[in-house]
């Protein structure tokens, strides 16, 4: 035991002048302070051999104890008067506690270090509670992206000659490949741009959901708009860095026709991409919420991920797998409908004649709109909550969040 008056609990406080367990002297009778229990014997320095049953324990601070005499009740309070409150600071466990203590929860997450389930649940809870803000953002952006993608595929793939004749000339092959590549680049650019807009706006929605505050679509756009260009720049830098890294590692082998060197470059390039991707995975929420520069966001992400790379990698991979399976279950029926109803069946699929009619393009696009409306906020929410969790663990952000949520005495001594 320390020199504090004992363990405090709601609705009770230790008796004045009572310091149980601080010396080996005799204890005074406790009958006046606790009429419901027999007075402790005054003739000996030790506990009585007859202890109250576990179901009749009174406040932990009202009876003397030795360090290993009894386990503390699992109420989650367990703070020492005169020391920071374990439940309020939010770290797991505490002196004499069993399990994780309670923590304030003004919004979708408790203000303490989060577990995997709490991060995933926080993302889903935000989607469910704040759907009036989340749903319009993702639905509108996903719809616009898919409409543009369908139009691009229709009018740019109409002139593609699906080369099945072995006597086809090289010009036809290059024209087909060029059209396919051009359509893919345009579609990917549109999707990346839409993802950036969704990420920016949803970051603001999730940041307010942590505090238990509502966000409107217009409010999220107003807060995200000043950082949009920087977020675009951050995304482009990440893509450019990945391409340059691949060029440095793979291009020498390709130029010298050394297949072994090319394979070695690929085997080095892919792990580096994964490592850097996780290292800078928190740069986007850092940029949007801290209002810093692009390079400062990279530095913040690197600092927050340091020494927890594997944990963040695991959560990111799990989130991607969940999103993949959800998307697959939603899109697959629409793709089957497209194949059977609009593409002319397997034969048309083989020769490519039914791939670019309106029905074959629109049906999968509807499935993608539904899937992206669900998946994009889930993935964005996990990223934002990972950022919040890392800042709570490293920088005590829970205290700042509590004050921002209006919890005035949160984390103060004796509070």
């Amino acid at each position: 035991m320390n020199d504090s008056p004992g363990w405090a609990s709601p609705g009770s406080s230790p008796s004045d002048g009572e310091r149980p367990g601080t010396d080996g002297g005799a204890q005074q009778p406790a009958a006046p302070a606790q009429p419901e229990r027999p007075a402790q014997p005054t003739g000996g320095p030790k506990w009585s051999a007859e202890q109250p049953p576990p179901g009749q324990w009174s406040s932990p601070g009202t009876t003397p104890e030795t360090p290993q005499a009894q386990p503390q009740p699992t109420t989650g309070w367990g703070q020492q008067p005169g020391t920071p409150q374990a439940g309020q600071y939010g770290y797991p466990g505490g002196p004499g506690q069993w399990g994780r203590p309670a923590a304030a929860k003004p919004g979708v997450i408790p203000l303490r270090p989060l577990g995997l389930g709490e991060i995933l649940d926080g993302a889903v809870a935000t989607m469910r509670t704040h759907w009036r803000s989340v749903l319009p953002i993702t639905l509108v952006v996903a719809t616009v992206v898919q409409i543009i993608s369908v139009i691009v595929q229709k009018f740019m793939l109409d002139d593609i000659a699906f080369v099945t004749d072995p006597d086809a000339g090289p010009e036809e092959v290059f024209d087909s490949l060029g059209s396919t590549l051009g359509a893919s680049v345009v579609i990917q650019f549109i999707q990346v741009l839409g993802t950036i807009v969704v990420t920016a706006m949803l970051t603001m929605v999730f940041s307010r959901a942590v505090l238990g505050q509502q966000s409107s679509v217009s409010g999220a756009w107003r807060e995200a708009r000043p950082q949009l260009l920087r977020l675009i720049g951050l995304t482009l830098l990440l893509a450019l860095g990945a391409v340059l890294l691949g060029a440095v590692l793979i291009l020498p082998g390709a130029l010298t026709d050394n297949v072994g060197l090319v394979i070695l470059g690929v085997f080095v390039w892919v792990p580096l991409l994964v490592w850097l991707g996780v290292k800078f995975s928190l740069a986007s929420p850092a940029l949007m919420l801290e209002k810093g520069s692009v390079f400062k966001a990279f530095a913040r992400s690197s600092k927050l991920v340091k020494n927890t790379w594997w944990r963040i990698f695991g959560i990111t991979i799990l989130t991607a797998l969940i999103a993949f399976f959800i998307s697959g279950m939603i899109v697959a029926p629409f793709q089957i409908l497209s194949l059977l109803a609009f593409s002319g069946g397997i034969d048309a699929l083989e020769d490519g004649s039914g791939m670019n009619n309106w029905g074959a393009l629109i049906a999968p696009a509807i499935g993608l709109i539904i899937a992206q409306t669900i998946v994009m906020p889930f993935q964005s929410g996990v990223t934002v909550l990972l950022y919040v969790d890392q800042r709570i663990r490293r920088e005590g952000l829970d205290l700042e969040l509590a004050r921002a949520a209006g919890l005035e005495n949160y984390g103060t001594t004796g509070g």
Side-chain angles (χ1 to χ4, degrees), residues 40-85:
Q40 298 292 333
T42 59
K46 297 184 178 180
W47 286 74
S48 171
E50 182 179 356
Q51 298 296 323
Q56 298 180 6
W57 281 26
S58 61
S59 171
T62 58
T63 58
E65 60 180 356
T66 58
Q68 284 83 27
Q70 296 287 343
Q72 297 298 322
T74 58
T75 59
W77 289 79
Q79 72 270 13
Q80 294 272 0
T83 61
Q85 299 181 15

Side-chain angles (χ1 to χ4, degrees), residues 259-295:
V259 178
L261 191 59
V262 170
I263 295 175
L264 178 62
V266 171
F267 273 99
V268 175
W269 182 45
V270 173
L272 279 177
L273 280 183
V274 174
W275 179 71
L276 291 173
V278 175
K279 184 181 181 67
F280 298 129
S281 61
L282 304 183
S284 172
L287 177 73
M288 297 302 300
L289 298 177
E290 297 181 22
K291 313 295 184 183
S293 64
V294 172
F295 292 102

Side-chain angles (χ1 to χ4, degrees), residues 90-408:
Y91 54 80
Q97 291 206 18
W98 293 75
R100 177 170 287 177
K105 189 177 179 181
V108 294
I109 58 170
L111 300 184
R112 54 168 166 74
L114 305 174
L116 168 63
E118 291 169 328
I119 291 175
L120 300 179
D121 180 71
V124 175
T126 303
M127 295 167 58
R128 183 176 62 249
T129 305
H130 302 271
W131 64 270
R132 289 181 179 84
S133 301
V134 173
L135 182 62
I137 293 172
T138 54
L139 180 60
V140 169
V141 173
T143 302
V144 171
V145 168
Q146 291 305 317
I147 288 175
I148 297 176
S149 298
V150 167
I151 294 174
V152 169
Q153 291 178 72
K154 174 62 179 176
F155 290 102
M156 292 189 69
L157 299 181
D158 270 344
D159 60 350
I160 291 180
F162 294 92
V163 181
T164 57
D165 186 359
D167 297 328
E171 292 185 359
E172 293 177 295
V173 175
F174 283 118
D175 287 344
S176 178
L177 292 176
S179 298
T180 303
L181 181 62
S184 299
V185 169
V186 172
I187 292 171
Q188 288 299 320
F189 174 78
I190 294 170
Q191 290 180 343
V192 169
L193 190 61
T195 302
I196 291 174
V197 174
V198 169
T199 300
M201 297 179 68
L202 289 181
T203 299
M204 300 306 172
V205 174
F206 276 90
S207 66
R208 289 189 173 274
V210 169
L211 303 177
Q213 300 173 358
Q214 294 288 337
S215 294
S216 63
V217 176
S218 59
W221 170 250
R222 187 168 53 253
E223 293 179 349
R225 185 174 54 189
Q227 295 294 102
L228 267 181
L229 289 179
R230 291 180 180 177
L231 186 59
I232 293 173
L234 184 147
T235 306
L236 292 178
L237 279 178
L238 286 174
L240 181 61
V243 172
L244 291 178
L245 183 62
V248 169
L249 295 174
I250 299 174
L251 196 57
L255 293 177
T256 58
D257 293 329
N258 190 329
V259 178
L261 191 59
V262 170
I263 295 175
L264 178 62
V266 171
F267 273 99
V268 175
W269 182 45
V270 173
L272 279 177
L273 280 183
V274 174
W275 179 71
L276 291 173
V278 175
K279 184 181 181 67
F280 298 129
S281 61
L282 304 183
S284 172
L287 177 73
M288 297 302 300
L289 298 177
E290 297 181 22
K291 313 295 184 183
S293 64
V294 172
F295 292 102
K296 185 177 180 181
F298 282 130
R300 290 286 293 140
S301 178
S302 177
K303 179 181 178 181
L304 292 173
V305 174
K306 185 178 180 180
N307 298 327
T308 57
W309 189 93
W310 283 106
R311 177 176 180 269
I312 295 176
F313 170 75
I315 295 175
T316 303
I317 290 296
L318 179 61
T319 303
L321 289 175
I322 293 173
F324 173 77
F325 283 115
I326 292 175
S327 298
M329 288 188 295
I330 295 174
V331 175
F334 290 92
Q335 289 179 329
I336 294 173
L337 175 65
S338 170
L339 175 64
L340 298 179
F342 303 108
S343 299
I346 302 297
D347 293 337
L349 182 64
E350 290 178 352
D351 59 24
S353 59
M355 294 300 297
N356 61 336
N357 64 70
W358 285 111
L361 295 174
I362 291 175
I366 295 174
L368 285 171
I369 290 173
I370 299 173
Q372 290 177 351
T373 301
I374 298 173
V375 166
M376 283 195 295
F378 175 69
Q379 291 183 299
S380 297
V382 169
T383 302
V384 173
L385 295 181
L386 266 176
Y387 164 81
V388 173
D389 175 57
Q390 289 302 111
R391 288 201 61 187
I392 289 176
R393 293 173 183 268
R394 293 180 178 272
E395 302 171 358
L397 182 65
D398 51 338
L399 301 181
E400 296 294 333
L401 293 175
R403 284 191 284 270
L407 305 179
E408 297 295 337

